[in-house]
Amino acid sequence: MKKLGFGLMRLPQISKDDYGSVDIEKVKKMADAFMENGFTYFDTAAPYYRGNSEVAFREAVAKRYPRTSYTITDKLSLFMIRNAEEMEGFFESQLERLGVDYMDYYWLHGLGGPSFKQAEEWRAFEFVQRKKAEGKVKHIGLSFHDKAELLDEILTKHPEMEYVQIQLNYLDWEDATVESRKCYEVATKHRKPVIVMEPIKGGSLVNIPEEAEKLYQDYRPDSSVASWAIRFAASPGNVMMVLSGMSDEEQMADNISYMKEFQPLDEEEQKIVEQATKIIKASIAIPCTACRYCIDDCPKKIAIPDYFAVYNNLKRFGGPQGMVARTYYGNLTQTHGKASDCLKCGKCEKRCPQHLPIREYLEAVAGELE
């Protein structure tokens, strides 16, 4: 397979204010372009767009293409169900929303310390193995958001896992929290091919400081900023696939342009990325990827990732952005809880794949924008 996967986590929306509203007609056009250029790998999960990502796949791909012409990955999201007995029904509902009889790949979703313990207690590893034995899943594995040491423990205990999906990008490659490089090395040690998520860190590696962007433009004037991030993620030899969440046809066309005939970064390009990384790290106040896992359980319905994006823009561009940032913030608070409404319950932090101190950051947001 070509190394670019269509990540159905960031899709075109009919309404920006309605997270569940997917523009299926646009998704159809994007899927057509994707497959016409020889790409076949799609990735989704039940939490994405409240299940409508799976539905969008059914309408755009499963209903319109032969089953042998694509592969689909979905995930067992244990945080969405109440007990082990619900896994069967959850799985069957996914097949129905996808419009397929079997999944090519099925992951235990977002494993970390607490969720690994839950998966063990609920015998979720045995469940996905059973689905494979039944022919309803071709390959099993896990997506992972935690330290490399835990990943090593999981893969040692569960060698039946065939693949590992990890967050990998040049900003997190040496990050002490995400440990992209170390997780990649653990997966490689266990001979598990790696699927990459968050290669552009939720858009953070597209909207980069001018100084970093100039480094890229001076070396490759015709290449997009995003292409550097995607190519970095796809360059390690044990990376099987890089997922890109594309929200419009332009992003799809750009990704196809350099991934159709993929060329790994050369030594000089690696050095340029290292320089850009230093510049970018100095400019980001809150390293949120806008995955939105944090918002569903928030009792005050606080628009956490949106507030963080506004705050980051304010911190990055300074004083002139103050009025603009406060205007955007004020608009958001008309339909969402304010940052200062936070009850400090910590539910958001338990769901955050980046392990961010969200409650502390919300205090900072309130201090600047209220």
Side-chain angles (χ1 to χ4, degrees), residues 43-260:
D43 174 278
T44 187
Y48 305 165
Y49 297 96
R50 303 190 181 100
N52 287 326
S53 171
E54 294 168 324
V55 172
F57 170 82
R58 181 185 71 212
E59 299 300 314
V61 181
K63 282 186 175 182
R64 301 169 66 239
Y65 287 92
R67 183 63 184 89
T68 55
S69 66
Y70 61 83
T71 62
I72 179 64
T73 299
D74 211 322
K75 307 173 186 80
L76 178 56
S77 307
L78 295 178
F79 52 84
M80 293 187 71
I81 56 182
R82 293 168 294 184
N83 53 58
E85 288 68 33
E86 292 187 357
M87 288 192 291
E88 185 68 40
F90 183 83
F91 178 82
E92 291 298 328
S93 71
Q94 289 179 293
L95 286 177
E96 182 178 351
R97 286 193 297 273
L98 291 171
V100 297
D101 295 324
Y102 68 91
M103 301 177 200
D104 298 278
Y105 303 91
Y106 197 54
W107 308 151
L108 293 173
H109 192 182
L111 289 194
S115 54
F116 172 48
K117 181 180 179 182
Q118 181 185 19
E120 291 282 67
E121 290 175 353
W122 289 9
R123 304 180 70 85
F125 287 92
E126 289 88 338
F127 177 82
V128 297
Q129 283 183 277
R130 188 164 67 252
K131 292 296 142 189
K132 182 180 176 182
E134 292 171 357
K136 293 187 174 182
V137 171
K138 299 296 183 185
H139 302 284
I140 57 175
L142 61 108
S143 68
F144 184 78
H145 288 287
D146 212 317
K147 299 287 188 180
E149 183 179 3
L150 177 61
L151 180 58
D152 192 30
E153 178 186 339
I154 293 173
L155 294 179
T156 299
K157 190 170 184 180
H158 292 283
E160 72 276 8
M161 295 290 102
E162 299 173 80
Y163 297 88
V164 177
Q165 184 167 307
I166 62 171
Q167 178 169 320
L168 191 158
N169 57 68
Y170 62 74
L171 205 62
D172 291 326
W173 186 244
E174 298 293 352
D175 184 82
T177 300
V178 181
E179 295 189 342
S180 286
R181 176 182 59 79
K182 290 182 179 179
C183 287
Y184 170 82
E185 290 173 350
V186 166
T188 302
K189 182 184 77 171
H190 286 271
R191 300 183 179 181
K192 309 299 181 185
V194 168
I195 295 91
V196 171
M197 56 185 160
E198 299 291 357
I200 58 173
K201 202 170 172 66
S204 299
L205 299 183
V206 174
N207 301 309
I208 61 176
E210 290 182 11
E211 184 183 357
E213 186 172 353
K214 188 174 185 302
L215 287 173
Y216 294 151
Q217 293 298 316
D218 286 350
Y219 192 82
R220 281 185 173 269
D222 297 328
S223 295
S224 66
V225 173
S227 71
W228 286 82
I230 300 283
R231 288 179 61 224
F232 175 90
S235 290
N238 191 39
V239 168
M240 180 187 93
M241 188 63 56
V242 176
L243 304 177
S244 179
M246 296 167 273
S247 54
D248 57 49
E249 293 173 72
E250 289 74 22
Q251 291 174 6
M252 174 66 76
D254 180 48
N255 281 347
I256 288 172
S257 70
Y258 57 84
M259 289 301 288
K260 191 172 182 178

